[in-house]
Amino acid sequence: MMDFSPVGAFRFWQRNLLIFRKTFPFTVPENFLEPVVYLLALGLGLGAYLREIQGLPYVAFVATGLAASAAMFGATFECTYNAYVQFYYDRSYDAIVTTPLSAEDVAVGEVLWGATRSVIYGTAFLLVVALFGVARSLWALALPGVFFLGGVVFSTVALAFTAVTPSIDLFPYYFSLWITPMFMFSGIFFPLDALPGWVQTAAWFTPLYHVVRATRALAFGTPVAAVPEVVWLAAVAVVLLPVPAVLLRRRLVQ
Amino acid sequence: MALVEAEELLKRFGSLVAVDRISFQVREGECYGFLGPNGAGKTTTMRMVCCTARPTAGSLRVFGLDVRRHGRAIKRQLGVVHQSVTLDDALTVRENLVVYGRYFDLSWAEARRRADELLAFAELEARADERVSKLSGGMQRRLMIARALMANPRLLVLDEPTTGLDPQARHAVWDRLRQLKRGGVTQILTTHYMEEAEHLCDRVAIVDHGRIVAEGPPRELVERYVGREVVELQVAADGAPAWAVAEQAAGLAEGFEVAGDRVFLHTRDGEELVHRVRALRLPVEAVVLRRATLEDVFLRLTGRRLRE
Ligand SMILES: Nc1ncnc2c1ncn2[C@@H]1O[C@H](COP(=O)(O)OP(=O)(O)O)[C@@H](O)[C@H]1O
Ligand SMILES: [Mg+2]
């Protein structure tokens, strides 16, 4: 039985926003500086040898991919470590489910907040790399929407993991077995064309691959190419959203 | 009308029965306590009242509403102080209150105004802009109580509100709870401190292994099960065992209990009993006369002490 109220989810989202406004400076390194370092190292370092890829300057190619990954990391850190600490150590969630908010409100509010962080970090990164001539089309203005959709998917998966993990020590596995492979094999640094077909097939089933493709399509002015990616993300978001809600209810209400 | 009505309420976790078919009612305006040792099922009972644990069987109504179906409506009128500290560590004292008020749909302005009132009530005005981790345990507990009051609840649920606090902090919490009661706030609390139950509760349910073993006003329970006074014998370390001493003295008292190396003799006339025990010249190190308490009731009904 699900018990969900949009107002409740919004209240929880607002709470997270308030906390974010206070802790923002401490979250910049992991979410923002890291992709900048990658961009400088690869975009400029490797870019010196590798001028063009798929008809794009290599820096622009990597920068758009990294914007997508910034969105992924923003949502993922939120719904793994941040959520875990509040859930298990601060026990804030235990307190909140005795207010009018339900466990489902908390789960959905948390996912929406994770997606909001995707928008914040993805967009902020794009603004910085705009200096590298990355955004070549007004369609780039639609990118926050893509980051949001992608953020919902990243958050949903991460929060589902957080709701079932028996220990904080398992998060490194979440990152090494899921986030890092996605980061490497979603076409951020190199196109997947040269890899065996099964790698491309596997990549198709992961969200980052679609966020990367949608990001490039919009940034470089080929919006039609973004449509299937957005459809994929929206469909998966809708299908997966109830999962963390059910799992969190099981943890919070016995 | 009873604000809480439980009938044959049962909660199982797998094969473990945490709450074993209990029935009780909490009336408007009273403070109702659950007194029992760790593991007795107190928190589980509170969680069912707060709609965060679902009854396995039996019925539980809060404000006349079924907890299985009306969680949101019930929780809207509830103020809850959890057994463990559940404050938002990233937020200040004041922000904790304001954010909590928002969960109950108070406007920002209303929430801020109410937060100021409650900061005064909890005597935390001076700490309002500090992070909650900087507060002492007693202050955090007062803040939890203030937070529970943000939306003017009809029923305040307190799960071990003073466990882990030093005596001074405990008295500060007690003062506030009594003040609230005078203001007409109905309270339901759990504790394993019998002083706390005697001090705060109009009626208590003594619980053990998920069952209510006795219920009533504290003084009445003591009168009913123990009498007025207790003569406590501390048995000499090298003398006869406590049960042997108890057997010799039992005839003088109206009832007795043995716990470890102590014998408790129940009586209505303590001074007379002390004289007669002394005359027996039993192998005891000390004979102490004191008022009977709920602890004696618990020992009498379960054969164990509350804080083992
Ligand atoms: N979520 C749970 N899962 C399994 N067992 C539980 C759970 N919560 C409580 N219990 C068990 O139920 C019993 C009563 O616990 P509790 O209600 O916390 O007691 P108290 O608050 O009186 O100390 C204990 O044996 C405890 O281990
Ligand atoms: Mg407890």
Side-chain angles (χ1 to χ4, degrees):
Chain A
M1 186 199 68
M2 295 281 269
D3 173 16
F4 170 65
S5 144
V7 176
F10 175 64
R11 295 274 180 256
F12 189 76
W13 181 90
Q14 267 188 324
R15 159 197 183 269
N16 285 339
L17 177 65
L18 186 71
I19 292 177
F20 177 74
R21 281 179 9 202
K22 311 190 57 114
T23 54
F24 171 68
F26 312 107
T27 64
V28 167
E30 65 192 9
N31 291 294
F32 192 69
L33 294 184
E34 233 177 71
V36 169
V37 170
Y38 277 108
L39 181 66
L40 292 176
L42 292 163
L44 301 182
L46 201 56
Y49 299 93
L50 223 158
R51 281 281 146 71
E52 282 208 341
I53 220 162
Q54 293 181 338
L56 299 165
Y58 187 63
V59 168
F61 180 83
V62 174
T64 40
L66 284 171
S69 77
M72 173 177 77
F73 284 112
T76 302
F77 278 112
E78 170 61 29
C79 291
T80 52
Y81 286 103
N82 278 4
Y84 189 88
V85 165
Q86 293 173 29
F87 183 5
Y88 290 87
Y89 294 124
D90 295 354
R91 300 194 142 260
S92 326
Y93 290 8
D94 283 316
I96 292 169
V97 293
T98 63
T99 74
L101 272 56
S102 69
E104 288 84 348
D105 300 353
V106 169
V108 174
E110 180 64 31
V111 165
L112 294 181
W113 172 248
T116 306
R117 286 192 28 155
S118 289
V119 173
I120 295 171
Y121 290 111
T123 310
F125 184 78
L126 268 185
L127 290 176
V128 170
V129 300
L131 302 174
F132 295 89
V134 161
R136 306 177 160 200
S137 155
L138 275 181
W139 283 102
L141 294 176
L143 279 174
V146 169
F147 296 150
F148 187 84
L149 269 186
V152 170
V153 178
F154 297 128
S155 300
T156 305
V157 178
L159 191 59
F161 183 83
T162 301
V164 295
T165 188
S167 152
I168 197 167
D169 297 329
L170 290 183
F171 282 126
Y173 287 96
Y174 184 81
F175 280 84
S176 348
L177 296 178
W178 169 239
I179 297 297
T180 307
M182 257 202 295
F183 184 52
M184 299 314 296
F185 294 99
S186 290
I188 293 175
F189 303 107
F190 48 86
L192 299 183
D193 314 352
L195 294 172
W198 65 267
V199 176
Q200 295 176 49
T201 309
W204 187 88
F205 283 98
T206 65
L208 185 57
Y209 174 81
H210 300 277
V211 180
V212 169
R213 287 171 68 95
T215 304
R216 291 210 177 106
L218 292 174
F220 302 132
T222 52
V224 177
V227 171
E229 317 302 341
V230 168
V231 170
W232 190 100
L233 291 169
V236 172
V238 168
V239 171
L240 289 187
L241 189 56
V243 175
V246 168
L247 295 176
L248 210 57
R249 160 163 290 267
R250 225 185 273 167
R251 282 310 271 260
L252 292 170
V253 179
Q254 271 124 8
Chain B
M1 186 191 93
L3 290 194
V4 183
E5 274 183 282
E7 263 174 58
E8 295 286 301
L9 184 61
L10 177 84
K11 179 64 181 180
R12 230 184 257 133
F13 292 110
S15 62
L16 181 125
V17 179
V19 173
D20 193 3
R21 283 175 304 244
I22 62 172
S23 302
F24 64 92
Q25 297 200 341
V26 180
R27 301 173 195 140
E28 188 125 38
E30 78 173 332
C31 176
Y32 188 93
F34 283 89
L35 174 68
N38 282 336
K42 304 183 297 293
T43 296
T44 305
T45 306
M46 293 307 106
R47 291 188 56 198
M48 286 193 278
V49 170
C50 299
C51 312
T52 59
R54 290 173 70 78
T56 310
S59 97
L60 177 58
R61 293 179 163 273
V62 182
F63 314 126
L65 301 169
D66 185 348
V67 291
R68 290 184 178 88
R69 293 194 295 130
H70 300 283
R72 228 179 258 269
I74 291 169
K75 290 191 293 173
R76 190 161 283 283
Q77 304 182 68
L78 227 49
V80 182
V81 178
H82 309 85
Q83 181 170 351
S84 47
V85 175
T86 57
L87 298 163
D88 276 322
D89 196 32
L91 298 177
T92 65
V93 170
R94 188 198 309 274
E95 286 165 343
N96 263 280
L97 295 177
V98 173
V99 164
Y100 203 77
R102 293 286 291 160
Y103 300 147
F104 292 82
D105 291 334
L106 301 190
S107 70
W108 287 104
E110 236 174 301
R112 276 192 215 102
R113 190 188 49 76
R114 186 81 184 126
D116 283 337
E117 275 172 30
L118 288 167
L119 283 170
F121 168 79
E123 284 185 48
L124 288 170
E125 297 123 306
R127 316 296 294 265
D129 298 314
E130 287 179 39
R131 279 179 63 159
V132 293
S133 50
K134 299 259 168 65
L135 301 186
S136 69
M139 290 176 183
Q140 290 184 341
R141 195 61 58 160
R142 265 149 47 207
L143 179 58
M144 299 256 298
I145 294 173
R147 186 177 72 165
L149 295 168
M150 276 300 284
N152 286 309
R154 257 176 102 186
L155 174 67
L156 190 58
V157 177
L158 305 125
D159 195 5
E160 306 212 9
T162 67
T163 298
L165 300 188
D166 61 47
Q168 213 178 344
R170 169 168 308 146
H171 278 281
V173 168
W174 286 356
D175 284 347
R176 302 241 161 12
L177 295 181
R178 271 200 306 267
Q179 192 181 331
L180 289 170
K181 188 164 167 303
R182 282 196 299 274
V185 180
T186 309
Q187 297 171 30
I188 175 166
L189 69 81
T190 75
T191 183
H192 61 259
Y193 297 117
M194 64 94 195
E195 307 95 303
E196 184 157 279
E198 284 191 342
H199 219 78
L200 297 175
C201 301
D202 299 305
R203 291 191 302 141
V204 295
I206 297 183
V207 289
D208 191 36
H209 296 307
R211 315 214 59 155
I212 294 179
V213 293
E215 188 205 50
R219 280 325 311 167
E220 227 178 273
L221 283 179
V222 173
E223 288 275 337
R224 193 187 322 156
Y225 291 100
V226 183
R228 212 162 319 167
E229 291 176 305
V230 171
V231 173
E232 215 176 297
L233 310 180
Q234 168 78 53
V235 176
D238 49 1
W243 59 265
V245 173
E247 257 173 18
Q248 285 179 275
L252 304 177
E254 284 156 45
F256 74 95
E257 292 297 331
V258 180
D261 58 355
R262 280 159 200 260
V263 177
F264 303 95
L265 303 172
H266 303 166
T267 179
R268 271 165 217 290
D269 187 347
E271 292 205 12
E272 170 68 18
L273 183 57
V274 168
H275 284 301
R276 297 173 63 180
V277 165
R278 287 236 163 86
L280 281 181
R281 304 200 169 281
L282 296 168
V284 295
E285 274 174 5
V287 179
V288 179
L289 172 62
R290 61 168 173 79
R291 224 165 76 114
T293 67
L294 285 172
E295 175 97 33
D296 299 302
V297 177
F298 187 79
L299 184 62
R300 163 86 199 277
L301 293 174
T302 68
R304 296 183 298 120
R305 315 207 53 183
L306 267 171
R307 277 165 287 168
E308 278 173 334

